[in-house]
Every structure is written in C-alpha cells, then in structure tokens.
Amino acid sequence: MTDRRKFVRFSLLTSAAMLAGKAISAQRKIEDDEVTYSTLRGQPVVVSTWDFGQQANAAAWKVLEQDGSPIDALEMGARVPEADPYNQTVGYGGRPDRDGRVTLDACMMDENGRCGAVAALEFVKHAISVARMVMERTPHVMLVGDGALQFALANGFRKENLLTVKSELEWREWLKTAKYTPYKNIENKMPGGQYNHDTIGMLAMDNRGNMGGACTTSGMAYKLHGRVGDSPIIGAGLYVDNEVGGATSSGVGEEVIRIVGSHLVVEYMRMGYTPEVACKKAVQRIAKRNPGMKDDFQVGFLALNKHGEYGAFALQKGFSYAIKNGREDTVYNANHLF
Ligand code: GLY
C-alpha cells in the first residue's frame, strides 16, 4: 500500500526560541531533500487548466473510472479541446502564427518517466496523439515541424486544414496593424478581456496511484513562424514524477522555459510543499526575474501530488482549473500574485 521513500522532517521552531518568547517564524527547516509519499490507491483524479478543462476531465474520467491508465485517460481528455473549432488556443481552430499557419505543440509523460512531444506540427489536429506515438513508437522524445508531420502521416493521421474561418478572419484583422512584439505585448489581454493563451495542461492519477500528464496548445497567437513555447518541452510545460506528483503550465511559454517551471514545481513538492504553495513559489520565481512587472503577461501553474491533493497559482487574476474525482467535478479560480 505504501511506497516508502526517503524522509523529510519539517522542524517548525526550536522550543528554546518559543520558551524565550521570541516571535514565531513560519520558516521551516528542511533537513533532507525528499518528502515521503504514500501511494493513494482507488481514488482516481484528473485536473486540467482552465474552465474548458472540465469537458476534457469528463472524457478522461470515463477512462479512469473503468480502471484505465492515466495516459489513456489524458489522451482522451486532451482530444476534446483539440477537436473543438471554437477553442482558439488548442488544436483545430487554434489561432495561427503571423504567417497564417496553425502550428501545434504537445507532449505526454507517463508514470515510468517515458515522454513524447511534437512541436510546430501543422495539419494534424490531435497533436497529443502524435506526441503519444513519439513516446511509444520511437526512441526519441520530440519531433518537430515537417518531421513531426511526416511521422504523423506515416502512422495513419489525416492531413487537414486547421485554420477555421473565425481564426482566419481575426488573423486578417490583426494583419492590418500587425503589431508584433514577440515577447510580452501580444500576450496581454485580448479585446474582451481574455488572455490569448489557454493551453490545456492535464494531470491524472489512476486507480493504482500511477500518474501521468499531457499538455497541448496552438501556442501564442501570431507568433513568429517556428516559435515553440513551453507546452511540448518536458520539464517546462509538463513534468511528472510518479514518486511525487506532476505539474503543468499555461501562459507565456518563454517565461516558463526560463525557470523550467513544471519541473521546479514538482521539486518543490518533493521538498514537502503543498501543490498550491509549490506553484506559488514557481510564480514568485518568474516575478523575481521580471522586476517591476505587474500585468505584463500571465503564467499559471497547476499541480497534483501523490496524495491526490491539487492546487494552482498564477501571476494574474483569471487563471482557472478544473478537477474531477469521485467526489467533485469543479472549476476553481486560482489564487494569484498581482
Ligand atoms: N504556454 C504555451 C505557449 O507559450 O505556447
């Protein structure tokens, strides 16, 4: 029932300090670098970024409740927004790059640390399924661009146009000014208050307590052709360690890559921090590296640990996440720094 690992002990305060009546610091003393986790069994759970993660969770849950694996569940879940033409940040219908090309990034990671990814993939809407095939059928971790497309077509995927009329019209409107600042400004809120970045990142634990993760996106709207964000990069947009937990991200990928964000969140959980605090510490790291920032851009992290505990934290207001387990099917707003 229990996977015993190394121990960590959190010593709150010395009793001497308390006796002396000194102000109690909340500081914890970490005496080792790994937390002990027992494997939770028989309580599957799936969490996903954003409100639309709820539909993805529903599809994933059908697999998990029938004793399916995290990877099977996550693939089914991620395919939901990928197929949705009204979701303009993932898969079919995603906003194109500045040349009008829809290019997709995706990755998966399983309980054994196996992973697969595709980046800058065109003409195939289910990038997550191609990423899974990279993981399962090749000795590699990532295929990009034409190579990823070639691989997908050779493995039975169909080539199709991913640019919907709505996304094309919006892109043509954008072309009139084509204000492109590759770093931050394009990430600001779109008219209507939506951030243009709504990558779906998903984490799941199955009946046996095994974990996996998936992440898929069309990336930053109107990006330079060839730009790859954090979503397909293992450690940045997604990371899973079956001894500890998993994390995923949404927002400006460049900022997440710079701190190897999802891996960082998992390592904070390994130190004993709760999922939410682990996410908060990664967000704080980004803020620290961007002194003076306020609402320049958005990054949010979502994490799930081996106890089935979950949490999220974002730079800005507006990041949400969805959770589905045997007790709840809920969308939460994440706490935020600014
Ligand atoms: N977080 C997704 C991206 O930056 O493309």
Side-chain angles (χ1 to χ4, degrees):
M1 193 76 182
T2 306
D3 292 331
R4 302 294 291 181
R5 301 289 172 192
K6 293 180 191 170
F7 291 90
V8 64
R9 280 176 289 138
F10 298 125
S11 161
L12 282 176
L13 299 163
T14 66
S15 51
M18 292 172 79
L19 285 173
K22 294 200 171 144
I24 294 176
S25 145
Q27 197 178 353
R28 297 185 302 183
K29 187 176 172 208
I30 295 168
E31 295 183 342
D32 198 348
D33 68 347
E34 289 196 25
V35 72
T36 302
Y37 274 106
S38 49
T39 297
L40 187 71
R41 296 184 206 280
Q43 294 186 48
V45 52
V46 55
V47 293
S48 299
T49 54
W50 302 106
D51 304 30
F52 61 79
Q54 202 166 26
Q55 285 86 56
N57 285 354
W61 184 255
K62 282 187 189 154
V63 179
L64 290 175
E65 71 178 349
Q66 295 195 1
D67 211 19
S69 73
I71 286 301
D72 286 342
L74 292 163
E75 184 183 3
M76 286 303 113
R79 286 171 67 100
V80 173
E82 282 184 339
D84 180 357
Y86 300 106
N87 185 324
Q88 291 180 280
T89 57
V90 181
Y92 176 56
R95 293 191 179 91
D97 65 18
R98 69 177 186 173
D99 299 340
R101 297 162 74 160
V102 180
T103 64
L104 306 181
D105 296 340
C107 73
M108 289 200 103
M109 193 160 184
D110 76 4
E111 69 268 25
N112 299 312
R114 293 190 312 161
C115 41
V118 289
L121 171 67
E122 290 183 82
F123 305 118
V124 179
K125 69 177 163 216
H126 289 306
I128 200 68
S129 299
V130 185
R132 180 177 181 171
M133 265 189 199
V134 172
M135 175 174 85
E136 292 180 341
R137 297 192 187 175
T138 81
H140 308 305
V141 165
M142 184 185 281
L143 295 178
V144 305
D146 286 346
L149 175 61
Q150 205 180 328
F151 172 77
L153 298 179
N155 282 282
F157 288 86
R158 197 163 55 88
K159 193 170 176 180
E160 57 189 313
N161 175 28
L162 304 183
L163 186 63
T164 54
V165 172
K166 181 170 166 48
S167 286
E168 182 173 357
L169 286 176
E170 284 182 9
W171 166 65
R172 292 200 183 280
E173 193 59 32
W174 174 82
L175 276 181
K176 287 180 185 162
T177 51
K179 278 206 189 116
Y180 181 74
T181 308
Y183 181 42
K184 286 177 185 169
N185 294 343
I186 194 72
E187 280 297 318
N188 284 344
K189 284 180 197 165
M190 307 279 278
Q194 292 292 316
Y195 283 100
N196 83 11
H197 234 294
D198 298 334
T199 303
I200 188 158
M202 304 183 69
L203 304 160
M205 183 160 62
D206 70 10
N207 258 327
R208 290 163 291 280
N210 285 325
M211 297 191 67
C215 192
T216 180
T217 186
S218 51
M220 190 184 278
Y222 319 136
K223 59 196 174 186
L224 283 170
H225 181 65
R227 179 264 185 188
V228 172
D230 57 326
S231 302
I233 298 181
I234 299 298
L238 178 76
Y239 196 71
V240 176
D241 184 325
N242 203 40
E243 294 181 354
V244 176
T248 187
S249 61
S250 183
V252 179
E254 283 76 1
E255 293 297 336
V256 178
I257 292 168
R258 283 192 182 100
I259 64 158
V260 199
S262 292
H263 185 261
L264 183 63
V265 172
V266 171
E267 291 308 303
Y268 279 133
M269 291 197 292
R270 192 191 305 280
M271 291 175 182
Y273 292 103
T274 64
E276 179 172 338
V277 174
C279 291
K280 182 176 182 180
K281 289 180 79 65
V283 163
Q284 285 171 327
R285 177 88 56 102
I286 291 174
K288 193 173 168 192
R289 289 183 179 210
N290 291 274
M293 76 158 292
K294 197 159 167 54
D295 61 357
D296 310 39
F297 60 89
Q298 173 71 308
V299 170
F301 290 102
L302 171 65
L304 174 70
N305 72 16
K306 287 287 278 185
H307 295 319
E309 297 161 342
Y310 51 86
F313 203 86
L315 276 168
Q316 321 288 346
K317 189 174 175 199
F319 181 51
S320 59
Y321 63 100
I323 145 91
K324 172 86 183 118
N325 60 22
R327 299 176 302 283
E328 63 172 326
D329 182 0
T330 314
V331 175
Y332 290 103
N333 290 317
N335 287 324
H336 48 96
L337 204 57
F338 296 114

